[in-house]
Amino acid sequence: MSDTAPAADPAMPSAPSRRGSRLPWPLAFTLALPLTLGCGTSDLAADAATGRASASAPIAPGDKGQNGLPNLGALASVRQDGKGGKKDEKKEPAPELDGGVAWLNSAGPLTLKKDLKGKIVILDFWTLCCINCIHIMPDLAKLEKKYPNELVVIGVHSPKFENEKETASIRKAILRYQIEHPVVNDADHKLWNKFQVDAWPTFVVIDPEGNLVGYTSGEGNYELLDVVVGKLVDEHKKKKTLDEKPIRFDLAKFRETGDTPLFFPGKVVADEPGRRLFIADSTHHRIVVTDLTGNKLHVIGTGAPGKTDGAFDKAQFDDPQGMAVRGDTLFVADRKNHLVREIDLKAKTVATIAGNGTQDHEAESRRLTQPVPAKEIGLNSPWDLWLGGDKLYIAMAGHHQIWALDLKEKNLIPYAGNGRETIGDGPLRRAMFAQPSGLTSDGKFLYVADSEISAIRKVPLDPEGKVETLVGRGLFVFGDVDGAGQAADGPLAAKTEARLQHALGVAHADGKLFIADTYNSKIKTYDLKSGEVKTFLGGRPLGWFGPDLFNEPAGISYAGGKLYVADTNAHRVRVVDVATKTVTTLHLKGVEPPAAPKK
């Protein structure tokens, strides 16, 4: 995701704009840590990650940082006198937290002057589609655990997509990503503008007296925030301005606990020859295997997040997503663990075959030209898989690339994309993607659901071929429009151009691509001959007060004339008869939710 707003497009909703100046805050945190290219990084970090510039040393105290903000630079400058900064430093009160349209994980709106007085506050400006925002959630949870009574994190959800303005969608994301702090729906970007934010994610730190301390953006900021919060704790304990009484918030998980057979299933794979269905039961952190009518065959994983290999009842996953199957071997993109796992369905064992268990932030990894041992390198949010021969193709959402895992040689290499998060066609390693999240193939090409640009991309399996865009125009071009995948440019264009909204899944069958158009809660088709996009199913067939057919479907697979759809936010799998368009819910038999963890 870009932090720079694009030129206006008639089919494009308004987007947050880059600000020309910031509030006169006492401190802008300068990072000596690696920044990750993506929706939340500065222009300099983007340049560094793509090789157009090198990261500079921290700005010296007193120098001007980006947007002309006084930047005190290195961490040693955070509190120079050990008592709260320079003695002549003028403190700036933080703006109040009003302007949101709803509060979640809280019984009501919170104020700095009353509810949060005496607490250190971190505002996390995020949007639920953003891979960088997703990546920093464990860091925030770690801080909350370390400072349970001193720190309060407030998520400020400032949306990119139209669907993300909906409080119901944010609530589902809170449950899906297991967020346990209050979140305000900043649907109109009032807080975004009030705090003069220009990137996702951005963190704003406020001291126990309600004063602005500083800000930073992007991934990789845990150590920095930990140091700053620790210093504030020490300072305000001495001043007796720190309130260490615990606050209990009214969390969404208290009312929607996940005691359903599936909980936010992310992907699904229908195996027609084996008459099996593989379901990534993502927020239950496990894989469910049934026959095509829903009878349980296996439940793989304990249901608790982790990365343990071994027997089915001991193994652990963390937000598993895409899968690929060959005979009695299942491959799984273990998204939050940044691993690829191999499941032996006969021996009933799970093994790690790619990734070293850490998230890779290195720009150099995106530029690799020679394969590396698959278990010696970190991955970056592998989101979907497709198997062709002995090549396992990986939609590496966090790197904005497609990678290839050679199952015989046990090595990995980037296959398509240069790592820049945008749209760009051309030779495989010069093309550009933006959070690729779904894969399918017709045997000659990979078709990619490229979610952040609401696009469908065509990637040749011939290494001499070129990447093409079938649907989509850019990071801030999205909507819900049927029409030509790509219409002729210019005023004489005779066809309406199609628009998707953050599509996460795609399946190939009978000369068509079936698209899980996630944020439009629809299934659409792309005809590979005509290049036309049409709505296949979606909406409310029974009228305005009737139920939605789908609720943010993220995975889709085809077998035997039927589509199997991971209807993510509805915690179910839907089965679609392609010929009749009849939609039913798969009734799972013998599948129970995981046992509650022991306290």
Side-chain angles (χ1 to χ4, degrees):
M1 191 183 309
S2 172
D3 61 356
T4 305
D9 182 289
M12 181 186 75
S14 60
S17 61
R18 192 177 182 87
R19 308 295 297 176
S21 61
R22 287 188 185 268
L23 293 169
W25 297 354
L27 170 67
F29 304 145
T30 299
L31 305 183
L33 304 169
L35 283 171
T36 302
L37 174 66
C39 47
T41 56
S42 67
D43 294 337
L44 174 61
D47 289 347
T50 55
R52 290 185 280 117
S54 59
S56 63
I59 299 171
D63 287 353
K64 297 291 184 179
Q66 75 169 12
N67 296 338
L69 178 70
N71 194 322
L72 300 185
L75 291 178
S77 301
V78 172
R79 289 289 182 269
Q80 291 191 6
D81 65 0
K83 298 181 180 179
K86 293 181 178 181
K87 293 179 180 179
D88 60 350
E89 178 184 287
K90 182 180 179 181
K91 294 185 177 180
E92 184 75 20
E96 254 311 343
L97 303 181
D98 52 345
V101 301
W103 282 77
L104 302 101
N105 271 359
S106 172
L110 299 173
T111 64
L112 293 171
K113 291 181 179 178
K114 183 179 178 183
D115 305 292
L116 302 173
K117 184 178 180 181
K119 299 293 185 184
I120 299 160
V121 176
I122 294 179
L123 303 182
D124 168 29
F125 286 85
W126 68 296
T127 188
L128 65 92
C129 68
C130 169
I131 191 69
N132 305 85
C133 300
I134 295 168
H135 284 161
I136 57 84
M137 290 175 184
D139 288 348
L140 293 175
K142 191 175 176 182
L143 287 167
E144 290 173 298
K145 185 175 181 180
K146 184 172 182 179
Y147 304 102
N149 299 327
E150 301 92 347
L151 172 68
V152 174
V153 175
I154 304 291
V156 183
H157 188 274
S158 304
K160 169 187 171 181
F161 289 101
E162 285 296 300
N163 180 65
E164 294 175 334
K165 295 179 180 180
E166 300 296 327
T167 298
S169 293
I170 302 168
R171 183 176 179 277
K172 290 290 187 179
I174 287 169
L175 291 163
R176 182 162 69 248
Y177 296 119
Q178 299 175 307
I179 296 169
E180 297 193 1
H181 54 249
V183 174
V184 55
N185 179 3
D186 185 30
D188 301 320
H189 299 105
K190 290 183 179 180
L191 286 164
W192 173 281
N193 290 326
K194 186 185 293 189
F195 283 86
Q196 298 184 12
V197 174
D198 59 13
W200 294 283
T202 287
F203 310 99
V204 176
V205 179
I206 299 168
D207 74 18
E209 296 177 281
N211 298 311
L212 290 162
V213 176
Y215 75 95
T216 190
S217 298
E219 296 183 39
N221 289 322
Y222 171 79
E223 290 84 357
L224 173 60
L225 291 169
D226 184 27
V227 168
V228 172
V229 171
K231 287 179 177 289
L232 288 170
V233 167
D234 292 343
E235 173 189 335
H236 287 275
K237 275 186 176 180
K238 292 176 182 176
K239 293 177 67 176
K240 301 188 184 302
T241 51
L242 184 69
D243 179 0
E244 297 184 74
K245 294 177 183 177
I247 301 178
R248 186 179 185 275
F249 294 109
D250 185 16
L251 303 180
K253 72 173 187 176
F254 296 150
R255 289 178 300 283
E256 191 168 343
T257 59
D259 57 349
T260 50
L262 303 176
F263 200 44
F264 296 104
K267 297 289 184 182
V268 62
V269 170
D271 171 30
E272 188 171 355
R275 298 194 57 78
R276 296 170 297 187
L277 188 67
F278 300 92
I279 306 165
D281 190 9
S282 302
T283 307
H284 278 157
H285 310 292
R286 63 183 187 173
I287 305 298
V288 172
V289 188
T290 71
D291 64 19
L292 293 179
T293 60
N295 294 299
K296 183 183 87 167
L297 300 177
H298 306 287
V299 172
I300 308 169
T302 65
K307 51 187 173 187
T308 303
D309 288 341
F312 282 6
D313 62 345
K314 299 292 192 297
Q316 292 178 303
F317 302 86
D318 199 343
D319 193 36
Q321 293 290 331
M323 298 162 290
V325 63
R326 179 174 61 188
D328 286 314
T329 302
L330 179 71
F331 301 96
V332 179
D334 196 2
R335 201 279 303 170
K336 197 172 177 181
N337 278 329
H338 310 288
L339 299 173
V340 175
R341 317 290 289 278
E342 181 182 87
I343 297 175
D344 186 323
L345 294 163
K346 281 191 172 180
K348 297 185 179 180
T349 57
V350 178
T352 296
I353 60 169
N356 60 19
T358 62
Q359 181 190 356
D360 183 79
H361 293 281
E362 299 301 323
E364 288 75 13
S365 299
R366 307 179 196 206
R367 304 190 199 106
L368 288 170
T369 58
Q370 296 296 321
V372 296
K375 293 176 69 174
E376 294 181 11
I377 188 171
L379 308 184
N380 197 340
S381 280
W383 212 286
D384 204 6
L385 305 174
W386 186 80
L387 181 62
D390 288 315
K391 287 278 184 70
L392 186 66
Y393 295 91
I394 306 169
M396 199 77 77
H399 274 334
H400 313 295
Q401 292 176 308
I402 309 301
W403 283 45
L405 170 60
D406 189 314
L407 294 172
K408 280 190 173 179
E409 300 297 327
K410 299 180 180 180
N411 59 37
L412 266 173
I413 191 170
Y415 180 76
N418 65 10
R420 288 193 62 198
E421 186 182 13
T422 186
I423 190 168
D425 292 345
L428 287 171
R429 292 300 299 270
R430 285 160 56 186
M432 291 168 280
F433 300 84
Q435 208 170 309
S437 302
L439 296 177
T440 191
S441 179
D442 60 2
K444 293 182 178 180
F445 297 93
L446 285 174
Y447 298 98
V448 182
D450 208 4
S451 62
E452 272 305 307
I453 46 176
S454 301
I456 301 297
R457 316 293 294 282
K458 181 179 178 181
V459 178
L461 295 175
D462 176 0
E464 301 302 317
K466 295 183 178 181
V467 175
E468 301 175 48
T469 298
L470 303 180
V471 186
R473 288 290 182 177
L475 284 159
F476 289 90
V477 181
F478 53 85
D480 184 4
V481 181
D482 289 355
Q486 296 276 278
D489 293 326
L492 299 179
K495 291 186 177 181
T496 300
E497 188 166 278
R499 293 283 182 263
L500 307 173
Q501 188 179 184
H502 197 70
L504 288 172
V506 62
H508 171 266
D510 300 330
K512 290 185 174 67
L513 300 178
F514 291 89
I515 303 164
D517 191 6
T518 307
Y519 280 3
N520 286 324
S521 291
K522 291 182 177 181
I523 305 302
K524 294 185 180 180
T525 59
Y526 176 88
D527 190 301
L528 289 167
K529 286 187 178 179
S530 70
E532 292 287 316
V533 174
K534 294 182 180 178
T535 296
F536 186 68
L537 283 168
R540 294 174 174 172
L542 299 180
W544 181 256
F545 296 104
D548 291 303
L549 271 181
F550 306 102
N551 191 342
E552 294 191 24
I556 188 167
S557 186
Y558 177 90
K562 294 180 179 179
L563 292 171
Y564 295 83
V565 180
D567 196 13
T568 304
N569 280 3
H571 315 304
R572 64 189 177 184
V573 172
R574 299 284 259 170
V575 183
V576 179
D577 186 301
V578 173
T580 65
K581 294 190 177 182
T582 303
V583 181
T584 58
T585 296
L586 184 69
H587 178 53
L588 297 177
K589 296 171 278 292
V591 178
E592 301 294 333
K598 295 179 180 179
K599 295 184 179 180

